[in-house]
Amino acid sequence: MTDRGRAAMHRTEDTFTLGPSSLHWDGARLTIDVDEMSTPHAQRIKGQVVITPRVVTDVEVPLTPDGAHIWRPFAPDSDIDVQIDRPGWTWKGHGYLDSNFGTRPLEADFDYWTWGRFPTENGAITFYDATLRDGSETTVALRFKADGSVEEFAPPPKASFRRTNWLVRRETHCDPGHTPRQVKPMLDAPFYNRAVVETVIEGETRTGVYEALDLNRFRGPWLMPMLAVRVPRRPGWRFS
């Protein structure tokens, strides 16, 4: 992720460009062209990611009572084709397309949240659990089917599993008598974790992408200076 100046951003109805990278929606698929430099190793990462939704939903989920934060699962059941110009970074598989929108910073309203998307034989199951700053909780459990239909369902209880290397708390829904487990690490930060997680839902073992976000840590005064060092800033977009 790179912070760029206003001049580096361009947007049309179906294209978003930020520096040398861009996203384009053609009505059937989202094409993401990537041309970036990694941090801190300064290696060039160039390639293309194509996400092809099997169905695009019209679901919008308010995460706060006043609707200041919205989760929009555009296509929880998608195919993905990744072509990155690095050894071992080309593959095809399951994908998804979602987004969050808000009128306030996340840390202004949330203390903690977890999210998970688990493919099924006929679509995908998603969970969204959030603890707001006033202590109230939001739990969303949705079943997305291949025909485009969406239904809420009563999820099994949440179960804790091993904390991250930064000791970020992790929990997700799991049938009683079982414990979720990390299958593959993806991103480990002082306030955020993303991983491939295995859990048991309605008697079936499911493996999917999971994230945990600790916004109490994110608000901490010791973290902001770290982010300023970690995220490069380029007012323009051309690499020297």
Side-chain angles (χ1 to χ4, degrees):
M1 186 173 63
T2 301
D3 285 348
R4 300 184 186 278
R6 185 183 299 272
M9 186 187 76
H10 303 279
R11 186 177 65 176
T12 67
E13 183 176 346
D14 53 20
T15 300
F16 177 76
T17 302
L18 187 61
S21 300
S22 65
L23 297 86
H24 176 72
W25 173 253
D26 66 4
R29 62 189 61 82
L30 180 69
T31 300
I32 306 168
D33 289 303
V34 179
D35 188 358
E36 299 289 342
M37 298 291 286
S38 70
T39 303
H41 305 294
Q43 295 175 319
R44 193 157 200 162
I45 300 175
K46 187 173 184 178
Q48 188 175 84
V49 178
V50 179
I51 301 173
T52 305
R54 297 179 182 177
V55 175
V56 176
T57 79
D58 59 0
V59 175
E60 290 188 354
V61 181
L63 298 176
T64 55
D66 63 357
H69 298 272
I70 301 291
W71 174 46
R72 180 70 168 87
F74 291 103
D77 189 15
S78 302
D79 297 314
I80 188 169
D81 185 351
V82 180
Q83 305 287 330
I84 301 294
D85 188 19
R86 298 286 298 278
W89 286 29
T90 295
W91 55 276
K92 297 180 180 181
H94 289 286
Y96 62 90
L97 176 60
D98 72 348
S99 185
N100 286 81
F101 303 90
T103 57
R104 293 190 294 265
L106 293 176
E107 66 271 21
D109 291 308
F110 298 96
D111 280 349
Y112 176 77
W113 81 26
T114 64
W115 172 91
R117 177 258 184 192
F118 299 92
T120 67
E121 295 79 4
N122 187 37
I125 288 172
T126 60
F127 300 118
Y128 219 127
D129 296 279
T131 302
L132 279 68
R133 295 206 67 186
D134 63 6
S136 62
E137 295 192 355
T138 297
T139 295
V140 178
L142 297 177
R143 196 190 317 271
F144 295 88
K145 297 184 179 180
D147 62 4
S149 61
V150 184
E151 63 180 20
E152 294 185 72
F153 71 101
K158 289 183 287 186
S160 299
F161 59 108
R162 186 181 64 82
R163 288 179 178 250
T164 71
N165 293 334
W166 286 96
L167 299 181
V168 172
R169 175 168 59 93
R170 294 191 294 183
E171 58 187 29
T172 192
H173 295 276
C174 187
D175 286 359
H178 300 274
T179 302
R181 70 181 185 93
Q182 176 177 294
V183 175
K184 182 179 181 180
M186 298 178 72
L187 178 61
D188 197 7
F191 63 95
Y192 175 80
N193 177 256
R194 177 173 287 243
V196 178
V197 167
E198 179 186 278
T199 187
V200 178
I201 306 296
E202 299 174 335
E204 298 290 336
T205 301
R206 306 292 183 192
T207 302
V209 175
Y210 166 88
E211 68 177 16
L213 177 62
D214 188 332
L215 287 153
N216 283 325
R217 286 194 178 184
F218 183 80
R219 285 191 295 267
W222 59 274
L223 187 62
M224 294 300 174
M226 292 177 61
L227 291 176
V229 173
R230 180 67 178 82
V231 180
R233 295 175 180 267
R234 294 187 174 92
W237 64 267
R238 297 189 181 277
F239 300 127
S240 58

